């Protein structure tokens, strides 16, 4: 019989479940993405975001074409809400690997590590993040 310690989920599991839960807030019928930024010591949730429109904007895609939803990406929404005065190491958990523009924003925001659950056709973004010193891990499904 497993002990209580063996039954406790890892922090990766907890944060990724939270990112998936947050993604359910998205109005995008094609791809729901969630992101959460936490301190590396797992003591604080700093921000969260999901893909969606600007505040007060219509809750619908601009286009059904891939990559042209017009929605602000989950990573950017989380970065916009993050407290930049917290000087602890920061980890972003995201349901899908970030696009190249989100990777650039993540680098500029000082995120130390990105953990993602699904690779989403953005091979170059992972390379960009690692070349900039951001640790990247797959914690997938």
């Amino acid at each position: 019989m497993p002990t209580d310690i063996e039954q406790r989920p890892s922090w990766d599991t907890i944060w990724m479940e939270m990112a998936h839960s947050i993604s359910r807030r998205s109005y995008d019928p094609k791809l729901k993405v969630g992101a959460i930024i936490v301190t590396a010591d797992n003591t604080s949730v700093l921000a969260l975001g999901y893909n969606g429109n600007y505040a007060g904007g219509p809750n619908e895609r601009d286009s059904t074409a891939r990559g042209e939803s017009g929605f602000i990406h989950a990573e950017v929404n989380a970065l916009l809400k993050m407290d930049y005065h917290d000087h602890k190491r920061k980890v972003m958990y995201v349901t899908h690997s970030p696009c190249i523009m989100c990777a650039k924003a993540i680098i500029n925001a000082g995120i130390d590590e990105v953990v993602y659950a699904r690779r989403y056709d953005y091979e170059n973004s992972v390379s960009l993040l690692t070349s900039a010193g951001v640790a990247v891990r797959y914690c997938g499904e």
Side-chain angles (χ1 to χ4, degrees):
M1 174 170 267
T3 67
D4 286 343
I5 297 292
E6 293 169 341
Q7 292 179 357
R8 288 180 72 188
S10 70
W11 283 113
D12 280 352
T13 300
I14 294 295
W15 300 134
M16 197 57 74
E17 285 176 357
M18 193 168 181
H20 281 285
S21 183
I22 294 303
S23 75
R24 295 178 17 226
R25 295 274 308 152
S26 174
Y27 283 97
D28 192 339
K30 292 184 83 170
L31 183 66
K32 296 180 182 304
V33 180
I36 180 169
I37 302 170
V38 300
T39 57
D41 62 3
N42 297 305
T43 60
S44 299
V45 173
L46 301 175
L48 52 89
Y50 53 89
N51 55 323
N53 222 335
Y54 59 91
N59 294 319
E60 56 191 39
R61 293 176 63 101
D62 291 347
S63 168
T64 57
R66 185 173 189 265
E68 296 180 25
S69 71
F71 286 142
I72 300 168
H73 290 192
E75 301 93 327
V76 171
N77 271 327
L79 291 171
L80 289 169
K81 296 171 185 142
M82 185 174 72
D83 176 6
Y84 286 88
H85 298 291
D86 189 323
H87 297 291
K88 290 184 178 182
R89 287 180 37 85
K90 296 169 182 68
V91 180
M92 176 182 279
Y93 286 83
V94 62
T95 56
H96 295 74
S97 57
C99 72
I100 198 78
M101 293 306 290
C102 286
K104 290 176 181 183
I106 288 165
I107 292 164
N108 280 3
I111 300 295
D112 299 288
E113 182 176 8
V114 173
V115 183
Y116 67 92
R118 267 189 213 136
R119 184 172 297 273
Y120 187 72
D121 298 343
Y122 296 127
E123 304 279 337
N124 293 337
S125 64
V126 171
S127 298
L128 176 63
L129 288 166
T130 56
S131 70
V134 177
V136 180
R137 285 190 298 120
Y138 169 76
C139 178
E141 304 166 332

